Amino acid sequence: MRRVALLGSTGSIGTNTLDVLQGLSDRFDVVSLSAGRNLDLLCEQAMRFRPRRVCVSGDAQEAAFRLKPLEIEVLDGPEGLLDLATDPDVDLVVNGLVAGVGLRPTLAAVQAGKDVAIANKETLVVAGRIVTELAAQQGVKLVPLDSELTPLWQSLQGTPGQDVKRILLPASGGPFFDSSLDQMARVTPRQALNHPTWKMGPKITVDSATLMNKGFEVIEAHWFLGLPVSKIDVVIHRQSIVHCLIEFVDGGLTAHLSTPDMRLPIQQALTHPEKLCTRVCPLDLTQVGELSFYPPDFERFPCLALSYEAVKAGGTAPAVLNAANEIGVYAFLEGRIGFLDVPGVVRRALDAHGNGFGLDLEAVFEADRWGREKAGEIVRRLER
């Protein structure tokens, strides 16, 4: 029985993870849950799974009052997240947090000797070298929890790196695959949140619409798989049926196909190397009918190019990329800037970044702080 701390239990990843864990109750025990401000859903989850502890970022007193009959300990804020991540009664931390808040709990969990399943892309984008090196030193496993990276990671287990010519990360292309730049300039937050395939939180949905999310996956794949960026390509695949492709040096190509349902990669990540029955509907290719692939358009979706640029620059450039993007995305969601202003904010922040902060954790956090401040200045100049 593996004891699990689930960080971000009320988000898309969190709710799907709990569905998977419920079906594997003979293998996993949910020890703790954390949530943002969705207290109603957290209390409902606590009633079902009876964790020993929960953490909230909202009203901890209200949470404690409502959960008192269950005798659940209630923690709050960033320090509470760190407590859950380092709990001696936990074997596995599932990080389903959104944006930069996920880095510190991951580092704390790894330092405490916990295996971590990471859905929070920003963790490896911001501090990939630091996190992976620390995990190697501590002898813990870092497992990607993602519809593309999880099957890719599984498929490459035991495959010599020299056999792989490149990998391809499919992207749906988002809601603006066919849109012109003029049309994208008039995009509203509501339109950007209308993803054609996946149901996710607002921030990651906008990242998918700009293709920044796929750029983050390129950086993640670099660190998770130990592949040079030159071996990581992106392809637009509208049906979201093919989740990864591996091209070998002999010319052969291997693909992983499945129904687009996050519960499958979550279960793959949690139960690897075993293959167990899931609650996911099996894929019927005769119903799919057609699979199409297109090269990405770097002109209309510059966030993808910016991600490649940042990871190649190294140092703290990816931390600035992430920080500036986060500020830009939330400014767009608030109606303060336009959709196409988001990559512009990131572009200007990267151009102003001297990459001279250093390479340690303190440098990463300083670059993150600087990137947010610089992006905030840029947004204020762009405000409508």
Side-chain angles (χ1 to χ4, degrees):
M1 183 75 72
R2 298 203 77 186
R3 301 166 298 177
V4 178
L6 173 55
L7 310 184
S9 67
T10 58
S12 173
I13 291 294
T15 53
N16 278 298
T17 298
L18 286 176
D19 187 81
V20 170
L21 293 175
Q22 189 170 38
L24 299 171
S25 58
D26 59 330
R27 292 168 174 260
F28 296 94
D29 177 27
V30 179
V31 173
S32 53
L33 301 172
S34 85
R37 301 185 180 277
N38 193 342
L39 187 55
D40 289 341
L41 181 53
L42 176 65
C43 289
E44 179 186 318
Q45 292 172 341
M47 286 290 294
R48 276 196 297 141
F49 291 91
R50 302 299 175 99
R52 307 191 223 338
R53 311 168 86 194
V54 301
C55 177
V56 297
S57 63
D59 192 339
Q61 287 187 332
E62 174 67 14
F65 174 77
R66 294 173 63 173
L67 294 173
K68 186 176 180 180
L70 301 180
E71 298 183 344
I72 295 173
E73 181 183 2
V74 177
L75 308 175
D76 70 310
E79 292 304 315
L81 283 176
L82 296 181
D83 284 345
L84 297 192
T86 57
D87 187 344
D89 291 332
V90 166
D91 306 306
L92 171 68
V93 175
V94 178
N95 186 342
L97 297 168
V98 177
V101 70
L103 175 56
R104 290 182 187 271
T106 297
L107 288 168
V110 171
Q111 189 67 57
K114 316 292 183 187
D115 293 339
V116 186
I118 304 175
N120 175 255
K121 289 180 169 55
E122 291 82 356
T123 292
L124 289 191
V125 170
V126 170
R129 182 182 301 280
I130 294 170
V131 174
T132 54
E133 287 182 353
L134 180 61
Q137 292 168 8
Q138 295 296 108
V140 303
K141 293 180 182 177
L142 297 178
V143 180
L145 206 164
D146 178 84
S147 57
E148 286 80 36
L149 289 185
T150 301
L152 184 60
W153 170 79
Q154 275 201 323
S155 299
L156 287 174
Q157 295 297 303
T159 301
Q162 64 268 23
D163 290 355
V164 178
K165 181 178 180 180
R166 63 170 180 159
I167 61 171
L168 293 100
L169 301 174
S172 71
F176 310 123
F177 169 72
D178 293 321
S179 300
S180 68
L181 283 171
D182 286 341
Q183 291 171 321
M184 292 166 74
R186 298 189 296 272
V187 160
T188 66
R190 182 176 180 179
Q191 290 171 320
L193 294 176
N194 186 27
H195 195 279
T197 306
W198 303 101
K199 295 197 178 297
M200 307 169 287
K203 198 268 182 182
I204 190 172
T205 304
V206 175
D207 283 345
S208 294
T210 65
L211 290 195
M212 180 62 88
N213 188 58
K214 198 55 53 175
F216 284 173
E217 281 182 21
V218 169
I219 301 175
E220 268 194 303
H222 169 61
W223 293 114
F224 265 128
L225 307 175
L227 288 173
V229 178
S230 60
K231 286 189 173 186
I232 306 172
D233 288 335
V234 170
V235 62
I236 304 300
H237 169 54
R238 297 295 284 164
Q239 294 82 11
S240 297
I241 295 297
V242 177
H243 298 288
C244 67
L245 300 106
I246 305 168
E247 183 179 347
F248 296 96
V249 292
D250 62 4
L253 195 69
T254 296
H256 174 92
L257 292 77
S258 70
T259 302
D261 187 321
M262 274 305 301
R263 292 177 297 175
L264 179 56
I266 289 170
Q267 181 161 314
Q268 289 173 328
L270 297 182
T271 62
H272 177 82
E274 293 183 85
K275 299 286 189 185
L276 304 176
C277 291
T278 73
R279 301 182 177 193
V280 177
C281 294
L283 177 66
D284 183 350
L285 286 175
T286 63
Q287 295 299 311
V288 173
E290 178 181 302
L291 299 175
S292 56
F293 302 89
Y294 308 89
D297 187 330
F298 290 95
E299 181 182 356
R300 288 188 302 125
F301 298 98
C303 283
L304 183 57
L306 291 170
S307 297
Y308 275 103
E309 179 183 321
V311 70
K312 289 175 182 177
T316 53
V320 172
L321 172 88
N322 173 72
N325 177 70
E326 191 172 325
I327 295 298
V329 167
Y330 284 120
F332 165 67
L333 287 170
E334 293 163 4
R336 298 165 59 199
I337 63 175
F339 181 75
L340 291 182
D341 289 329
V342 175
V345 169
V346 179
R347 170 77 279 165
R348 294 180 195 182
L350 283 175
D351 285 346
H353 173 239
N355 216 359
F357 293 104
L359 295 174
D360 59 10
L361 190 58
E362 183 179 343
V364 167
F365 286 131
E366 174 58 21
D368 177 80
R369 183 205 63 77
W370 179 91
R372 292 172 190 276
E373 183 177 290
K374 176 58 68 175
E377 294 174 4
I378 298 166
V379 165
R380 286 190 289 275
R381 292 197 294 270
L382 289 171
E383 277 186 302
R384 297 173 170 179

